[in-house]
């Protein structure tokens, strides 16, 4: 059997003199002076509603709105845990840290900024010079461009 209870709000002076709390106390006092609605919901429903309202709302950055494949690509580029030669060489799983272009170690920065083998692809995706910070930590559109560039290049991360 469902148990119902009536709840009446009462203003209790607390935290007086603390900035921010004064306004909350004033609003609570105003609310307690008014008529309380006769609301026939259970005590459990009320506590669930209050707890849900008090839960922290997490603010998601643009990375969290990417699809799963894009998130994996960006995450691996950001953290350095990827199948690029520079990382695999450290793990003794690649013969050399060098990129197949032969100019430098195969790192995310090299591929996204300097590698001559990907120059045409980079220019198609980013017609204007774009920094590595923007490519790895920018807005969703930039992150999608980065993931697309890596995907189209056929790189395994």
């Amino acid at each position: 059997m469902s148990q119902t209870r009536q709840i009446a709000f009462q203003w209790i002076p607390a935290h007086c003199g603390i900035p921010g709390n004064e306004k909350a106390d004033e609003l609570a006092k105003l609310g307690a002076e008014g008529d309380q609605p006769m609301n026939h919901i259970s005590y459990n429903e009320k506590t669930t509603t209050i707890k849900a309202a008090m839960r922290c709302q997490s603010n998601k950055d643009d990375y969290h709105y990417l699809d799963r494949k894009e998130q994996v690509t960006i995450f691996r580029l950001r953290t350095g845990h990827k199948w690029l030669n520079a990382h695999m060489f450290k793990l003794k799983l690649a013969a050399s840290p060098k990129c197949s272009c032969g100019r430098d170690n195969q790192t995310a920065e090299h591929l996204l900024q300097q590698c001559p083998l990907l120059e045409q692809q980079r220019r198609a995706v980013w017609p204007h010079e774009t920094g590595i910070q923007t490519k790895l930590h920018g807005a969703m559109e930039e992150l999608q461009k980065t993931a697309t560039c890596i995907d189209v290049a056929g790189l395994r991360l």
Side-chain angles (χ1 to χ4, degrees):
M1 183 164 141
S2 176
Q3 184 181 28
T4 58
R5 297 181 186 185
Q6 289 185 343
I7 296 176
F9 292 99
Q10 180 180 354
W11 179 75
I12 301 170
H15 308 290
C16 295
I18 299 173
N21 286 332
E22 293 295 325
K23 183 66 175 173
D25 287 345
E26 180 184 328
L27 293 172
K29 186 175 182 179
L30 285 172
E33 290 172 356
D35 289 334
Q36 299 297 315
M38 290 308 290
N39 188 333
H40 297 289
I41 63 172
S42 72
Y43 175 76
N44 288 338
E45 289 174 297
K46 290 176 184 177
T47 57
T48 300
T49 302
I50 292 169
K51 286 178 183 177
M54 299 302 292
R55 240 182 252 124
C56 291
Q57 300 293 321
S58 64
N59 293 330
K60 292 184 175 182
D61 64 4
D62 287 345
Y63 167 83
H64 293 93
Y65 294 106
L66 299 173
D67 67 34
R68 176 73 176 140
K69 185 177 179 182
E70 292 168 334
Q71 282 183 350
V72 168
T73 298
I74 298 301
F75 178 81
R76 288 180 178 170
L77 290 170
R78 285 177 175 180
T79 62
H81 295 279
K82 53 202 165 289
W83 292 91
L84 300 179
N85 288 344
H87 180 66
M88 298 306 285
F89 182 74
K90 289 178 189 176
L91 301 175
K92 300 185 187 325
L93 297 172
S96 167
K98 292 286 186 191
C99 179
S100 54
C101 74
R103 287 194 179 174
D104 207 348
N105 289 348
Q106 190 183 45
T107 63
E109 185 169 4
H110 171 72
L111 291 172
L112 293 171
Q113 299 296 100
Q114 301 125 6
C115 183
L117 300 177
L118 297 179
E119 186 170 349
Q120 186 176 4
Q121 178 65 32
R122 279 194 312 274
R123 287 186 192 271
V125 175
W126 296 283
H128 305 288
E129 191 170 323
T130 304
I132 190 73
Q133 186 70 16
T134 300
K135 291 176 181 177
L136 294 180
H137 300 279
M140 188 164 84
E141 183 180 316
E142 292 300 328
L143 298 176
Q144 287 173 323
K145 286 179 182 180
T146 302
T148 299
C149 183
I150 294 296
D151 188 45
V152 171
L155 294 167
R156 180 178 174 214
L157 295 183

